[in-house]
Amino acid sequence: MIDDGNAGGSPATRPETLVIHAGQTPDPGHGAVMEPIVLSSTFAQPEPGKPLRFDYSRSGNPTRAALEACLAALEHGRYAFAFGSGCAAGAVLMHTLRPGDQVVCGDDVYGGTYRLFNGVMRPLGIETVTVDMRTPEAVAAALTEKTRLVWLETPTNPLLHLADIAAIASVARTRGVPVVVDNTFASPMLQNPLDLGATAVVHSTTKYINGHSDVVGGAIITSDAELAARLKFLQNAIGAVPSPMDCYLVLRGVKTLAVRMQRHVETASELAARLEKAPGVRRVAYPGLASHPQRELARRQMRGPGGMITLELDGTEAQARAFLQALRIFTLAESLGGVESLAEHPAIMTHASIPAEVRRGLGITDTLVRLSVGLEHVEDLWRDLQGGLAAAARVTETRAR
Ligand SMILES: Cc1ncc(COP(=O)(O)O)c(C=O)c1O
């Protein structure tokens, strides 16, 4: 957590510089340029009850504090809290609520968020109602006197729908309801929800922020002092904190976030345009395409359409399986946002915890495939996708024979 609101002491303001320097200064003892990994679980106190800065690593740790300062700066917030996963960050935020409270949540969110809200919080007396966040009016209509939180993702996972953060925040503000935005898909390079009126931002730092698929982590960022005080208490009381080693890895990964996001966007834009014209593809969802119904909102709210593409194959689940299994550079795996390209089948993999009828109602069909476009050469990736489409086409040809 930081509270000085000045990027952890860094004079920089541009994200390209903040990713490298915010929260980090050469250590006074040795001049180490990279943030030291302080593994100590406890800290010597000069006098009883008077620690220097930290007393016990669950409550606070120097490597974690550097990461938190960096994340606060990147999301233009005063306070940041790091957690052991994105789900842990979400669970801690949900613990700011009480039985009888209600959450208005987007209907197209990460399957684990759906599971947390319905499988963990609902039995504790916290109800969730889901709405299509593409229409701020739907949010306004869903707010009741019990609503204590609006939770949204934009772009959504996996359908890449957008929610107008400023419009929803303005609707919620008139009713005194905080708005939480899961900014994992956009990353702070492409979108800053706090600037648009959101109360808090959640990240799975596992994804773009770390970017190397070697850490599971999460974070909450806010400028609301009252919420921050509660989160600070819960971070320590619940104890779902990341290890100093993981904090270091995220700090190292985030240094290249600006250049990585630039390349993710360039390559994904090219692949999305080619996929849209490819035989065997029914539709492509990518906020940078002219065919995306919310392209104008993407331009207004985001600084780039991101590195995720969702496509629906024209065919059967067997063909979607054949497509995925034929890929050689895209790895068939859950997760996203790493340097390596990944492909997955949301209905079978990431979104399996959402009941089949709910999935179908949303449009998460059996031929929907989600791509996380990595940093490999665009032509290699394109050839790989063409190989996948050819394998899918062969399934029908074999059947026809
Ligand atoms: C948008 C989004 N939010 C939250 C999470 C949960 O993060 P984690 O896996 O770090 O717990 C994920 C994981 O895929 C995600 O995609």
Side-chain angles (χ1 to χ4, degrees):
M1 167 176 166
I2 62 159
D3 61 4
D4 59 3
N6 72 349
S10 168
T13 54
R14 313 255 177 202
E16 293 80 357
T17 314
L18 291 172
V19 289
I20 296 166
H21 294 291
Q24 299 153 80
T25 44
D27 98 274
H30 304 285
V33 171
M34 287 299 125
E35 194 61 31
I37 307 167
V38 181
L39 292 172
S40 191
S41 58
T42 189
F43 298 86
Q45 305 191 13
E47 280 182 57
K50 294 227 166 119
L52 293 172
R53 180 171 172 202
F54 300 100
D55 54 9
Y56 185 64
S57 260
R58 171 165 34 76
S59 322
N61 169 280
T63 319
R64 191 172 94 213
L67 172 62
E68 291 174 336
C70 185
L71 295 177
L74 291 180
E75 280 294 10
H76 307 167
R78 290 181 63 85
Y79 312 93
F81 303 89
F83 296 94
S85 69
C87 283
V92 165
L93 243 173
M94 291 301 281
H95 275 79
T96 60
L97 305 181
R98 291 163 190 273
D101 288 352
Q102 195 182 66
V103 180
V104 172
C105 178
D107 61 4
D108 177 26
V109 291
Y110 168 58
T113 303
Y114 182 93
R115 181 175 54 209
L116 170 70
F117 287 7
N118 290 289
V120 181
M121 303 316 297
R122 191 180 293 277
L124 297 179
I126 295 159
E127 283 282 318
T128 298
V129 292
T130 55
V131 299
D132 183 340
M133 290 277 168
R134 284 174 293 183
T135 46
E137 301 73 34
V139 181
L143 296 175
T144 69
E145 71 285 355
K146 287 185 180 171
T147 312
R148 295 287 174 273
L149 201 71
V150 172
W151 179 293
L152 63 96
E153 277 178 31
T154 180
T156 62
N157 179 3
L159 297 171
L160 304 179
H161 295 159
L162 305 189
D164 186 333
I165 300 172
I168 292 172
S170 122
V171 163
R173 201 177 310 119
T174 58
R175 308 281 286 270
V177 177
V179 174
V180 173
V181 177
D182 182 334
N183 203 27
T184 299
F185 264 42
S187 93
M189 294 309 302
L190 303 184
Q191 180 171 274
N192 292 118
L194 298 185
D195 293 348
L196 299 168
T199 318
V201 172
V202 175
H203 276 285
S204 167
T205 54
T206 318
K207 311 295 171 1
Y208 287 107
I209 287 183
N210 174 56
H212 293 74
S213 304
D214 53 9
V215 175
V216 172
I220 307 171
I221 300 104
T222 184
S223 289
D224 182 317
E226 206 179 312
L227 176 62
R230 186 71 189 146
L231 291 172
K232 175 83 193 138
F233 169 81
L234 291 171
Q235 185 190 40
N236 182 45
I238 294 176
V241 293
S243 75
M245 187 70 203
D246 283 355
C247 292
Y248 171 77
L249 284 170
V250 178
L251 268 175
R252 186 166 79 158
V254 81
K255 284 183 193 292
T256 54
L257 183 65
V259 284
R260 282 190 282 112
M261 287 316 295
Q262 197 179 340
R263 175 68 86 85
H264 285 304
V265 168
E266 279 166 19
T267 310
S269 301
E270 181 61 31
L271 293 179
R274 292 188 192 184
L275 280 167
E276 203 170 37
K277 294 192 210 112
V281 177
R282 185 175 297 147
R283 68 185 173 101
V284 178
Y286 182 67
L289 289 174
S291 58
H292 193 290
Q294 295 169 294
R295 194 185 186 201
E296 278 319 303
L297 175 59
R299 283 200 170 134
R300 197 163 10 106
Q301 178 166 277
M302 302 176 75
R303 290 183 289 274
M308 301 298 297
I309 302 174
T310 298
L311 60 138
E312 192 171 16
L313 295 175
D314 199 4
T316 59
E317 184 183 318
Q319 285 174 293
R321 284 177 183 271
F323 171 83
L324 289 165
Q325 284 173 256
L327 298 175
R328 292 287 169 268
I329 299 176
F330 280 87
T331 303
L332 176 58
E334 299 194 3
S335 203
L336 60 113
V339 293
E340 70 297 323
S341 292
L342 301 178
E344 68 111 8
H345 190 285
I348 300 173
M349 297 166 71
T350 47
H351 291 66
S353 51
I354 299 178
E357 66 282 4
V358 178
R359 272 199 319 260
R360 254 176 249 122
L362 289 170
I364 304 176
T365 65
D366 293 340
T367 60
L368 203 75
V369 169
R370 191 187 78 181
L371 303 177
S372 172
V373 176
L375 306 185
E376 302 92 338
H377 197 284
V378 63
E379 297 304 337
D380 288 336
L381 294 176
W382 176 237
R383 200 158 351 113
D384 202 30
L385 293 172
Q386 283 179 308
L389 291 172
R394 280 197 295 276
V395 174
T396 1
E397 285 161 18
T398 318
R399 283 228 187 99
R401 259 186 238 132

